[in-house]
Amino acid sequence: MRMAKGLLGLLMALPLLASAEEIGQVSTVFKFVGPNDRIVVEAFDDPKVEGVTCYLSRAKTGGVKGGLGLAEDRAEASIACRQVGPINFKGELKDGEEVFKERTSLVFKTMQVVRFLDKKRNTLVYLVYSDRLIEGSPQNAVTAIPILPWAPVH
């Protein structure tokens, strides 16, 4: 019982991260063995900002290594976030807070999306970038959503 409570406490302390849903993909390089190299489009909802969905496009490496999850994906990614309903905050927002994170190599490389709140312009800003344990990549993309009232549907 103590262990179960401790585990539950540990899980609650972990940051709330979104999980992505694949919207579609296109093949970019044919591979004779294993899946093709491709560009994948995924969507995820911000777990702390109701009414915001982000769309992420990124390269996925195919071939034998890619099929086994051993290949390193490229650092490039594109992001577009949109208001899809009334915006409601589920708790306090912290600048640079991680919203989405996914491993892009076997061990050392991840792609992540972080959020900033531009209070002066009443805008949410999302940044996607890739990092590596030793050396990150300066390649990044940014998108912004003005926080606007949402008109009810008649």
Side-chain angles (χ1 to χ4, degrees), residues 33-38 58 60-73 102-109:
V33 179
N36 292 342
D37 289 355
R38 60 202 184 281
R58 59 198 182 94
K60 288 238 183 180
T61 303
V64 174
K65 284 185 177 181
L68 295 173
L70 302 174
E72 183 172 306
D73 293 333
E102 190 167 302
R103 163 180 84 75
T104 54
S105 75
L106 184 59
V107 179
F108 300 114
K109 189 175 175 186

Side-chain angles (χ1 to χ4, degrees), residues 4-32:
K5 285 183 179 178
L7 185 58
L8 181 60
L10 178 64
L11 289 174
M12 291 177 70
L14 292 174
L16 189 60
L17 294 179
S19 60
E21 168 189 345
E22 187 174 310
I23 300 300
Q25 60 178 287
V26 295
S27 178
T28 57
V29 175
F30 173 76
K31 299 286 185 177
F32 284 105

Side-chain angles (χ1 to χ4, degrees), residues 33-52:
V33 179
N36 292 342
D37 289 355
R38 60 202 184 281
I39 297 172
V40 177
V41 177
E42 299 168 314
F44 65 88
D45 298 325
D46 187 326
K48 285 182 81 176
V49 183
E50 188 177 307
V52 170

Side-chain angles (χ1 to χ4, degrees), residues 47-49 88-94 97 115:
K48 285 182 81 176
V49 183
N88 294 308
F89 299 111
K90 301 176 186 176
E92 185 179 333
L93 302 184
K94 298 178 186 128
E97 185 173 15
R115 173 195 342 96

Side-chain angles (χ1 to χ4, degrees), residues 60-124:
K60 288 238 183 180
T61 303
V64 174
K65 284 185 177 181
L68 295 173
L70 302 174
E72 183 172 306
D73 293 333
R74 297 178 57 100
E76 297 91 352
S78 178
I79 189 168
C81 297
R82 297 294 181 260
Q83 182 176 358
V84 295
I87 290 182
N88 294 308
F89 299 111
K90 301 176 186 176
E92 185 179 333
L93 302 184
K94 298 178 186 128
D95 275 346
E97 185 173 15
E98 199 172 84
V99 178
F100 177 83
K101 184 174 189 175
E102 190 167 302
R103 163 180 84 75
T104 54
S105 75
L106 184 59
V107 179
F108 300 114
K109 189 175 175 186
T110 61
M111 184 203 49
Q112 48 199 318
V113 176
V114 294
R115 173 195 342 96
F116 298 91
L117 176 60
D118 180 351
K119 290 180 182 176
K120 180 179 176 183
R121 294 165 190 85
N122 200 35
T123 300
L124 291 164

Side-chain angles (χ1 to χ4, degrees), residues 74-77 109-110 112 127-132 134-142:
R74 297 178 57 100
E76 297 91 352
K109 189 175 175 186
T110 61
Q112 48 199 318
L127 170 71
V128 61
Y129 67 98
S130 181
D131 68 355
R132 188 180 293 173
I134 305 298
E135 179 184 338
S137 170
Q139 296 175 351
N140 64 83
V142 69

